[in-house]
C-alpha cells in the first residue's frame, strides 16, 4: 500500500518526507502526541507489541519455548504490576499525554490489523525496556559480595581499581590515575594454585559499553551536540525519527516506538542526548534460607506467588515465585535466598517528565528538567543556541551509606533517593566542551550515583580531537563519530612483538609476527592483525582473572568477573608476569604469551574459514537481530570500528542512532539510523547500507547527504560462518541473552 503523504487525524496533521519520516503539526502537545502515536503505530505496531511481550514476560506466547528463560525472569520481577502502579502515580498532565498517545495508536490500528488494543500500561512497558537495557541486573553486586567473602582485601582492591589509565573527566581533563599496587605475594599464591581451564565456563563477562558517546562543544558563540547511542542492532531499528511542530516550538529527534515523547533531539533552542550511566540503582539482599521449608520455620523469606506462562506450541508453564519485603527472590548464594530491588521495580522511579525538554530555552533549563525526570540512569549532554554546554545525570538514584564497589545491601538501604538539586552537573566548563562515553568521572563518582564505569579510552579520544580541531561544526562532529583509532590495542601489539621470536622460527610464528606488525593502529575493516589482537586480549584476560578468582568460583559456581574498568588491573598483571604471575602450566612469560597468540590465531581462522592473515572486516560482519534475540545476517556488510573505538561497531551491536546538531541551525543537522521508519522493504536495506558505510541523512528530512567515511563498505560473501568457537561467541554475546547468569542464581534474563 502506498502511504499517503499527508494524514489528518485527532487534531494533528502528519506529513511524510521522501525518507518517510513524519512531521506532526498540532495546536496542543496532546494533539501532537496523538499524531505521534498514530504515525509510529502505522510503521511499527508489531515491534511495539513484541517489546511489551518481552518486558512483561509474555513473549513465549508467540515465540514458543525458546523465549521461556526471558519470560521467567520478567515474571519474577513482576514488571506488569509495576507498570500498572506506575501509571496511577503519574502526574495528571503526563497521564493525559500517555492517553493521547494511546488513542492515536488505536486509531491507526482500527479493526483491520488484528492487533489487540494498546493501553497506557503498554507505553509504561516500553519505558521499562529502556530501564532494563540501560540499568544493571545486579551482577556486579553479587560479584563484589563473593570476592569480599573469598579473596584477601588487597587482591579485591587490586581487581576493582577506582580509575583506569584512560580516565577522562567531563571537561576533558586527565586526572592522574592511582591504581593500587599489585599485592605480588598474594597474587603469586593464587596464580600458583591455578588449574587448566579446559571445558570450564567463562569467568570474565565483558558487557558491551551500552549507552554510547555524547559530547557538546562550544566555539565562537555557537555549540554543536553529537550523540550516538550504542545498542543491539535490531531489525527493525529500535529508534524512530519524528518532528513535532507546536505553535511555540518545534521538536525534532528520535523516540522508541511506544513512548509518548521525543527522547533525544532538539527544540531549536536546546539539543540533548544521552549515554548510559552505570548507575548504582540496584540492591541485592540476603533474604534468609533458600529452602522454602527452612524459610517457613524462621518466618521468611516472603510470600509465594504463582505465574502461569502461556507457551506457543507447548503446555503452559507454572512458575513459583517468592516475594520478600526487599523484593522478589531471584536466586540464591551459599544456601541463602537473594532478593532484588531496583529503580526498574519501583513504580515511583519512572515518569515522562522528559516532555519538559520541549520548552527548555537554555542548558540550565534542560538540566533542571532532566535531573527531575523519571529516567533510567543516564548521562545527559546538552547544548544551546547561545553556545552553552552542560552535562548532568538523569534518573532516580538511591542515597547510599557506601560509595564505590559494594556487595549485598543491609535491610532498608536503597529506599530514599538523592534529591534532584544534589545530583551532579557541569555547566560551561573552561575547556569549552563536555564529553561522556560511559566512562568514570570525578563528578559522577564523588556524588555516589555510579561506580562500575566503563573504560575512558573513547572519552579520551574524543577530548583529544576536540582540543585539536578547536571548532564546533557539524562536519567535524560527524567525522569524529566515525573515528576508528584503536589505541587500547597498541599495548597488546607491543606485548606480542616483545615475546614473538625474531629471525628463524617455525611457522606459523613468522607469519603471525608479520600479521601483527602490519596493524597500523585502527579498527578499519581493511586492517590486518587487529582480529588476532582482540582475541589475544580476551584470552589473556580470561586466563589470568580465572586463576585469581578460582576461590570465588568454588564458593559460587555462577561467579563471573564483570568489572568494566579492569584494563589497568589486567595490564598490571601482564607487566608482572616475570615476577611469578605466569600460570604454572605455561612455565615462562614467553610460553604463556605466545601460547595465547597461537590460540587467538586459531580462533580467528575458525571464524573466517582460512589460515591466511585475516582482515578485521572478515570478522566484523553486520548481523542484526530480530526481536533483539537471535542474530540473522543482512546482505553481507563489513564494519569498521570495535568496542574500544569512538565508532563502536560489532556484528549485532553499534550506533543505533547518530545525531549531530547545532540548535541554532537545525537545518544543517544530521540524523542517521540503521533502518527506515517502516523497518521493511528496499528502503530498509538502503538505509542500513547508508548507515554502515558512514553516510549521513539530514535531521529535518528531505534530501540526503553522503559523507564518505572509509568505514563499513559492503562486500560479497563469505557471510557469517558456523562453528564459531565458544570464546569468540562469548565476546559477541549481548547482555541479557539467555545463558547469562542471573544476579541471584543460575539461568538468565531475556
Amino acid at each position: 500500500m502506498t502511504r499517503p503523504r499527508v494524514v489528518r487525524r485527532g487534531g494533528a496533521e502528519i506529513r511524510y518526507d521522501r525518507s518517510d519520516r513524519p512531521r506532526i503539526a498540532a495546536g496542543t502537545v496532546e494533539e501532537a502526541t496523538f499524531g505521534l502515536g498514530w504515525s509510529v503505530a502505522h510503521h511499527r505496531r508489531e515491534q511495539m507489541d513484541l517489546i511489551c511481550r518481552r518486558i512483561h514476560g509474555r513473549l513465549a506466547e508467540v515465540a514458543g519455548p525458546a523465549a521461556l528463560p526471558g519470560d521467567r525472569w520478567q515474571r519474577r520481577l513482576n514488571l506488569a504490576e509495576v507498570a500498572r502502579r506506575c501509571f496511577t502515580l503519574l502526574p495528571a498532565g503526563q497521564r493525559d499525554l500517555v492517553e493521547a498517545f494511546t488513542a492515536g495508536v488505536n486509531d491507526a490500528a482500527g479493526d483491520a490489523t488484528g492487533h489487540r488494543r494498546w493501553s497506557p500500561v503498554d507505553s509504561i512497558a516500553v519505558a521499562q525496556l529502556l530501564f532494563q537495557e540501560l540499568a544493571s541486573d545486579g551482577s556486579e553486586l553479587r560479584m563484589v559480595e563473593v570476592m569480599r567473602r573469598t579473596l584477601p582485601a588487597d587482591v579485591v582492591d587490586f581487581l576493582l581499581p577506582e580509575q583506569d589509565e584512560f580516565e577522562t573527566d567531563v571537561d576533558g581533563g586527565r586526572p592522574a590515575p592511582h591504581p593500587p599496587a599489585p599485592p605480588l605475594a598474594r597474587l603469586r599464591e593464587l596464580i600458583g594454585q591455578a588449574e587448566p581451564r579446559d571445558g570450564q565456563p567463562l569467568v570474565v563477562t565483558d558487557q558491551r559499553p551500552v549507552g554510547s558517546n555524547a559530547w557538546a562543544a562550544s566555539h565562537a558563540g555557537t555549540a554543536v551536540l553529537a550523540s550516538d547511542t550504542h545498542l543491539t542492532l535490531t531489525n527493525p531499528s529500535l529508534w524512530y525519527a519524528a518532528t513535532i511542530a507546536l505553535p511555540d516550538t518545534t521538536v525534532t529527534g528520535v523516540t522508541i516506538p511506544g513512548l509518548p515523547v521525543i527522547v533525544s533531539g532538539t527544540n531549536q533552542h536546546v539539543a540533548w542526548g544521552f549515554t548510559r550511566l552505570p548507575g548504582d540503582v540496584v540492591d541485592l539482599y540476603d533474604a534468609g534460607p533458600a529452602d522454602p521449608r527452612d524459610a517457613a520455620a524462621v518466618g521468611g523469606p516472603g510470600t509465594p506467588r504463582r505465574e502461569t506462562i502461556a507457551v506457543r506450541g507447548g503446555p503452559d508453564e507454572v512458575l513459583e515465585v517468592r516475594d520478600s519485603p526487599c523484593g522478589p527472590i531471584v536466586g540464591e548464594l551459599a544456601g541463602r535466598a537473594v532478593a532484588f530491588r531496583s529503580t526498574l521495580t519501583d513504580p515511583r522511579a519512572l515518569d515522562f517528565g522528559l516532555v519538559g525538554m520541549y520548552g527548555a530555552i537554555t542548558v540550565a533549563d534542560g538540566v533542571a528538567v532532566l535531573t527531575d525526570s523519571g529516567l533510567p540512569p543516564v548521562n545527559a549532554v546538552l547544548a544551546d543556541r547561545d553556545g552553552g554546554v552542560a552535562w548532568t545525570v538523569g534518573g532516580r538514584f538511591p542515597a547510599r551509606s557506601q560509595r564505590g564497589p559494594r556487595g549485598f545491601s543491609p535491610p532498608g538501604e536503597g529506599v530514599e533517593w538523592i534529591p534532584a538539586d544534589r545530583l551532579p552537573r557541569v555547566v560551561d566548563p573552561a575547556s569549552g566542551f563536555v564529553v561522556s562515553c560511559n566512562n568514570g568521572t570525578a563528578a559522577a563518582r564523588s556524588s555516589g550515583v555510579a561506580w562500575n564505569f566503563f573504560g575512558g579510552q573513547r572519552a579520551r579520544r574524543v577530548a583529544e580531537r576536540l582540543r585539536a580541531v578547536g571548532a564546533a561544526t557539524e562536519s567535524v562532529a560527524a567525522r569524529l563519530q566515525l573515528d576508528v583509532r584503536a589505541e587500547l590495542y597498541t599495548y597488546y601489539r607491543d606485548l606480542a612483538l616483545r615475546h614473538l621470536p625474531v629471525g628463524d622460527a617455525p611457522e606459523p610464528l613468522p607469519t603471525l609476527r608479520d600479521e601483527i606488525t602490519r596493524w597500523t593502529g585502527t579498527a578499519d575493516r581493511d586492517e590486518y592483525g587487529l582480529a588476532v589482537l582482540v582475541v589475544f586480549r580476551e584470552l589473556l584476560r580470561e586466563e589470568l582473572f580465572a586463576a585469581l578468582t578460582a576461590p570465588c568460583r568454588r564458593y559460587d559456581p555462577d561467579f563471573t568477573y564483570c568489572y568494566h574498568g579492569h584494563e589497568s588491573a589486567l595490564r598490571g598483571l601482564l607487566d608482572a608476569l616475570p615476577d611469578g604471575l605466569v600460570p604454572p602450566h605455561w612455565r615462562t612469560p614467553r610460553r604463556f604469551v605466545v601460547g595465547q597468540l597461537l590460540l587467538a590465531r586459531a580462533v580467528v581462522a575458525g571464524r573466517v574459514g582460512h589460515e591466511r592473515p585475516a582482515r578485521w572486516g572478515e570478522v566484523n560482519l553486520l548481523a542484526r537481530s530480530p526481536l533483539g534475540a537471535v542474530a540473522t545476517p543482512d546482505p553481507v556488510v563489513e564494519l569498521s570500528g570495535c568496542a574500544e573505538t569512538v565508532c563502536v561497531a560489532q556484528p549485532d551491536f553499534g550506533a543505533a542512532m547518530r545525531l549531530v546538531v547545532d540548535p541554532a541551525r537545525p537545518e544543517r543537522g544530521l540524523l542517521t539510523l540503521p533502518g527506515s521508519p517502516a523497518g521493511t522493504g528496499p528502503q530498509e536495506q538502503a538505509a542500513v547500507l547508508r548507515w554502515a558505510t558512514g553516510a549521513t541523512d539530514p535531521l529535518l528530512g528531505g534530501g540526503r547527504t553522503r559523507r564518505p567515511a572509509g568505514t563499513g563498505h559492503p562486500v560479497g560473501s563469505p557471510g557469517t560462518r558456523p562453528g564459531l568457537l565458544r570464546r569468540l561467541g562469548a565476546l559477541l554475546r549481548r547482555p541479557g541473552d539467555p545463558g547469562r547468569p542471573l544476579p541471584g542464581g543460575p539461568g538468565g534474563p531475556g
Side-chain angles (χ1 to χ4, degrees):
M1 178 176 97
T2 302
R3 187 176 314 285
R5 308 313 299 167
V6 181
V7 174
R8 294 179 178 86
R9 305 291 293 185
E13 179 184 85
I14 309 168
R15 292 182 176 271
Y16 294 93
D17 66 20
R18 285 184 290 172
S19 299
D20 213 19
R21 293 179 180 175
R23 177 184 174 89
I24 303 155
T28 69
V29 68
E30 289 81 13
E31 290 172 342
T33 305
F34 178 100
L36 179 63
W38 195 98
S39 186
V40 76
H42 227 47
H43 279 134
R44 302 280 191 89
R45 182 56 195 274
E46 182 177 1
Q47 181 187 28
M48 294 162 65
D49 284 342
L50 288 172
I51 289 173
C52 292
R53 287 183 178 278
R54 173 187 163 189
I55 291 301
H56 288 170
R58 295 172 30 255
L59 193 55
E61 292 177 10
V62 295
L68 272 173
D71 280 1
R72 293 185 191 113
W73 173 250
Q74 301 303 104
R75 294 294 187 94
R76 285 190 181 97
L77 299 184
N78 204 15
L79 294 183
E81 176 59 26
V82 173
R84 286 188 285 270
R85 293 171 58 198
C86 176
F87 181 70
T88 66
L89 296 175
L90 291 179
Q94 292 185 30
R95 288 200 303 273
D96 292 344
L97 201 72
V98 178
E99 288 171 343
F101 181 88
T102 299
V105 171
N106 290 326
D107 186 70
D111 298 321
T113 64
H115 290 291
R116 64 180 179 81
R117 290 186 65 78
W118 192 256
S119 77
V121 171
D122 293 326
S123 286
I124 303 292
V126 177
Q128 289 174 318
L129 168 74
L130 286 179
F131 272 69
Q132 195 155 39
E133 287 288 314
L134 299 180
S136 163
D137 64 2
S139 298
E140 75 279 13
L141 304 177
R142 184 183 178 108
M143 170 195 72
V144 175
E145 182 71 18
V146 172
M147 291 174 72
R148 296 211 185 281
R149 293 185 189 184
T150 58
L151 297 176
D154 52 357
V155 172
V156 175
D157 291 342
F158 173 74
L159 294 177
L160 305 177
E162 182 176 330
Q163 296 174 292
D164 72 279
E165 62 186 85
F166 297 98
E167 184 86 358
T168 302
D169 254 330
V170 171
D171 63 356
R174 294 187 177 188
H178 300 287
L184 291 175
R186 289 190 174 90
L187 293 174
R188 276 194 294 266
E189 181 179 354
L190 290 167
I191 289 283
Q193 298 168 359
E195 298 177 355
R197 294 198 29 81
D198 294 341
Q200 295 187 32
L202 293 171
V203 167
V204 179
T205 57
D206 189 11
Q207 297 177 359
R208 297 177 185 180
V210 181
S212 330
N213 306 318
W215 64 89
S218 179
H219 180 73
T222 188
V224 169
L225 170 82
S227 176
D228 50 298
T229 56
H230 305 150
L231 296 166
T232 301
L233 299 174
T234 57
N235 183 10
S237 169
L238 185 61
W239 291 111
Y240 182 84
T243 295
I244 289 178
L246 297 167
D248 54 354
T249 189
T250 297
V251 184
T252 299
V254 293
T255 186
I256 304 291
L259 293 183
V261 63
I262 298 295
V263 174
S264 179
T266 181
N267 64 7
Q268 303 189 16
H269 292 281
V270 176
W272 66 97
F274 300 107
T275 72
R276 177 188 177 186
L277 175 72
D280 193 0
V281 298
V282 177
D283 290 276
L284 297 182
Y285 304 91
D286 181 333
D291 189 318
R293 294 167 297 182
D294 295 338
V298 297
T303 306
R305 169 167 50 92
R306 178 172 291 184
E307 295 278 345
T308 300
I309 304 175
V311 183
R312 181 179 181 180
D316 292 355
E317 177 174 301
V318 177
L319 180 68
E320 299 289 344
V321 180
R322 285 184 293 152
D323 292 319
S324 79
C326 294
I329 305 299
V330 294
E332 63 180 82
L333 177 62
R336 306 282 292 180
V338 177
F340 176 93
R341 173 184 283 154
S342 166
T343 52
L344 171 67
T345 61
D346 189 333
R348 305 171 301 159
L350 188 159
D351 65 36
F352 297 105
L354 184 61
V355 72
M357 291 302 298
Y358 291 9
I361 302 299
T362 67
V363 293
D365 296 336
V367 167
V369 169
L370 296 174
T371 53
D372 199 32
S373 294
L375 297 166
V378 289
N379 296 283
V381 173
L382 306 95
D384 66 33
R385 64 184 299 126
D386 294 325
V389 298
W391 164 90
T392 189
V393 300
R396 315 294 191 203
F397 298 91
R400 300 288 181 196
S401 59
Q402 176 185 353
R403 296 177 181 177
R406 60 184 186 84
F408 288 5
S409 299
E413 177 91 353
V415 177
E416 299 299 324
W417 292 334
I418 300 173
D421 60 3
R422 287 176 46 201
L423 293 176
R425 63 205 67 195
V426 174
V427 179
D428 292 332
S431 65
F433 64 84
V434 292
V435 58
S436 172
C437 301
N438 322 123
N439 54 299
T441 63
R445 186 180 288 111
S446 63
S447 66
V449 298
W451 58 266
N452 192 17
F453 296 101
F454 294 92
Q457 57 269 14
R458 286 183 286 124
R460 175 158 296 188
R461 176 65 177 171
V462 170
E464 289 173 347
R465 296 309 303 152
L466 291 176
R467 285 195 197 93
V469 297
T473 66
E474 294 88 347
S475 60
V476 166
R479 285 195 299 271
L480 183 50
Q481 285 182 328
L482 300 173
D483 186 275
V484 293
R485 194 73 195 164
E487 298 289 349
L488 181 124
Y489 289 100
T490 302
Y491 175 92
Y492 296 94
R493 177 198 61 195
D494 296 344
L495 176 69
L497 294 179
R498 282 201 306 273
H499 289 280
L500 282 169
V502 179
D504 292 337
E507 286 290 353
L509 296 182
T511 300
L512 184 56
R513 184 180 184 90
D514 178 68
E515 181 176 358
I516 292 170
T517 303
R518 292 172 68 179
W519 181 59
T520 65
T522 79
D524 185 85
R525 69 177 183 93
D526 289 327
E527 283 277 12
Y528 287 93
L530 180 61
V532 170
L533 291 174
V534 168
V535 182
F536 174 52
R537 175 176 174 265
E538 295 288 316
L539 296 174
L540 290 169
R541 183 177 62 179
E542 175 68 21
E543 188 82 9
L544 290 170
F545 288 141
L548 294 174
T549 60
C552 304
R553 180 60 66 92
R554 288 193 290 269
Y555 184 85
D556 174 16
D558 295 314
F559 173 82
T560 58
Y561 176 73
C562 53
Y563 192 65
H564 305 317
H566 59 253
E567 183 66 21
S568 293
L570 177 57
R571 294 189 184 192
L573 294 172
L574 292 169
D575 291 343
L577 287 177
D579 298 319
L581 298 190
V582 177
H585 47 287
W586 290 102
R587 298 186 183 178
T588 69
R590 170 166 286 187
R591 289 189 179 189
F592 175 58
V593 171
V594 174
Q596 305 313 305
L597 280 167
L598 292 172
L599 288 172
R601 188 68 194 89
V603 169
V604 174
R607 175 70 174 90
V608 300
H610 61 74
E611 297 291 337
R612 301 184 305 277
R615 293 181 300 104
W616 177 239
E618 294 180 74
V619 172
N620 209 28
L621 296 169
L622 176 64
R624 295 190 300 159
S625 305
L627 312 185
V630 182
T632 57
D634 281 275
V636 179
V637 175
E638 295 185 348
L639 298 175
S640 294
C642 66
E644 292 80 20
T645 56
V646 176
C647 179
V648 171
Q650 294 174 281
D652 66 344
F653 183 83
M657 177 271 286
R658 296 189 187 111
L659 168 69
V660 175
V661 61
D662 176 346
R665 48 188 190 188
E667 69 281 357
R668 297 179 56 172
L670 307 168
L671 176 62
T672 306
L673 305 178
S676 64
T680 59
Q683 193 175 46
E684 173 77 359
Q685 297 280 4
V688 171
L689 292 177
R690 286 199 312 277
W691 167 87
T693 55
T696 59
D697 295 331
L699 171 65
L700 299 185
R704 292 173 183 158
T705 303
R706 297 189 66 85
R707 297 181 186 275
T711 178
H713 303 283
V715 297
S717 289
T720 51
R721 296 180 179 272
L724 183 61
L725 295 184
R726 177 173 61 100
R727 193 173 302 275
L728 193 56
L731 169 65
L732 301 180
R733 181 174 294 155
R734 180 177 63 87
D737 276 346
R740 179 166 173 249
L742 295 179

